[in-house]
Amino acid sequence: MTYYVGIDVGSTTSKAVVLGDEGGAEAYSILRNSYNLAESGRKAFQMALDKKGLSENDISYIVATGYGRRTIDFQHEVEPEVICHARGTVELIPACRTIIDIGGQDSKIIELDDKGVKRFQMNDKCAAGTGRYLDKLAKGILEIEIEQLGDLSLRSSNPIHISSQCTVFAESEIISYLSRSEPIQNIVAGMHYSLARRVIQMGKAANIKFKKDVVFSGGVARNTGMVKAIENLLGEQVIIPEEPQLTAALGVALMAREGFLKRGVS
Ligand code: ADP
């Protein structure tokens, strides 16, 4: 058996997917990064190998993607993130025409056609359009865990409106709502709508039409409150992959296998 690994070293988490000669993931890992991205990428790789009882010598080809893809030194190649997201998502959901990916420190909207990526827009400049916005407000101001955000916000019937475009000013707005005893579920739902509006607006400004099927991926897609906010603003359902953080790692693993087999290396 020949094995291939795709590694996505993101800004917040590192992910690795192991593929065999055919079929889908044989093993995978998702690991929260330390400050040392190279070490986190290496650990995610090792964790995925351990799950399958493999050693590095068993792996024929390794390709990396993600924000920190060049920090590791054991990959054979690197690939840009957007095509890896596209490849992995289409493998799982072939009818996908739009990807909304919200990670820890960036967000992307990718429009696909039959040939692949048609256009995309990305924000990695401003925390307010990324998972960082929710992380910072949840832990810093509301003192709750991010895993609680979804359920809490689904209990809201009256989300607050956050007008600030910036995380720091949004913090002040939320503190003033808290001082007026606004129920926390309305605040959390308001945070979700604020992030969802910003991400959708980014896509619309780039002329992306949000054609069906729309797939929502990245760690923030685990948050059911964000799923609801995006669905309500788009006016249609989105599809969440079973492991929404793994799409780029799966895509780059598939590219590792396809590239290796095409070149006929053995
Ligand atoms: P990246 O690829 O940019 O490193 P990920 O796609 O792994 O990031 O997403 C990380 C983000 O996902 C973080 O902002 C984190 O708070 C969020 N996240 C992960 N799991 C959950 C969860 N269960 N509920 C809410 N948010 C989550």
Side-chain angles (χ1 to χ4, degrees):
M1 184 81 151
T2 317
Y3 291 100
Y4 310 89
V5 175
I7 302 176
D8 174 8
V9 185
S11 59
T12 309
T13 61
S14 291
K15 289 77 71 176
V17 167
V18 180
L19 295 180
D21 290 323
E22 51 189 32
E26 302 260 346
Y28 67 83
S29 63
I30 303 174
L31 176 78
R32 192 152 186 102
N33 291 340
S34 69
Y35 67 91
N36 185 336
L37 287 189
E39 194 180 88
S40 303
R42 161 65 72 178
K43 267 193 197 160
F45 174 60
Q46 197 57 53
M47 275 168 67
L49 297 191
D50 289 349
K51 283 193 189 167
K52 187 75 191 154
L54 298 171
S55 77
E56 196 169 341
N57 291 336
D58 298 316
I59 310 302
S60 297
Y61 216 67
I62 305 166
V63 184
T65 190
Y67 168 81
R69 61 187 177 272
R70 292 182 198 280
T71 62
I72 53 173
D73 60 3
F74 53 93
Q75 75 278 42
H76 297 100
E77 270 182 64
V78 295
E79 291 287 354
E81 283 175 74
V82 168
I83 56 165
C84 301
H85 278 285
R87 181 67 188 85
T89 307
V90 166
E91 182 74 14
L92 298 170
I93 301 141
C96 173
R97 287 293 171 270
T98 310
I99 301 169
I100 300 174
D101 185 272
I102 311 182
Q105 287 186 42
D106 70 15
S107 49
K108 310 173 191 73
I109 310 281
I110 306 168
E111 186 171 303
L112 304 169
D113 62 15
D114 292 338
K115 295 189 212 98
V117 176
K118 194 171 168 204
R119 53 169 73 90
F120 72 94
Q121 186 64 282
M122 183 163 173
N123 163 34
D124 56 3
K125 301 278 182 288
C126 166
T130 73
R132 187 73 186 273
Y133 174 79
L134 300 178
D135 293 348
K136 206 158 174 350
L137 296 174
K139 288 183 199 150
I141 305 290
L142 302 176
E143 295 177 357
I144 55 175
E145 297 299 321
I146 47 153
E147 289 78 10
Q148 295 175 263
L149 292 173
D151 285 350
L152 257 177
S153 73
L154 295 182
R155 284 194 240 137
S156 168
S157 53
N158 194 14
I160 63 164
H161 181 77
I162 299 173
S163 55
S164 301
Q165 296 286 321
C166 149
T167 312
V168 178
F169 290 158
E171 279 180 7
S172 314
E173 249 184 285
I174 289 173
I175 289 168
S176 100
Y177 274 106
L178 285 171
S179 68
R180 283 180 265 144
S181 305
E182 182 70 34
I184 191 165
Q185 61 265 32
N186 294 344
I187 295 175
V188 173
M191 284 158 42
H192 291 156
Y193 277 99
S194 165
L195 175 55
R197 250 193 313 275
R198 202 159 297 123
V199 172
I200 291 170
Q201 188 47 43
M202 169 180 83
K204 288 195 170 156
N207 213 17
I208 290 170
K209 301 284 188 292
F210 291 91
K211 286 186 200 144
K212 289 206 274 192
D213 289 349
V214 179
V215 174
F216 181 15
S217 63
V220 176
R222 294 191 180 279
N223 176 338
T224 48
M226 271 304 294
V227 175
K228 184 181 168 200
I230 286 183
E231 288 187 332
N232 284 348
L233 292 176
L234 286 180
E236 64 180 79
Q237 282 203 314
V238 298
I239 299 169
I240 318 295
E242 203 177 309
E243 286 289 351
Q245 280 162 291
L246 279 188
T247 51
L250 172 65
V252 77
L254 290 164
M255 288 157 74
R257 179 166 72 190
E258 287 154 6
F260 186 84
L261 295 177
K262 204 183 284 170
R263 280 191 299 277
V265 190
S266 62

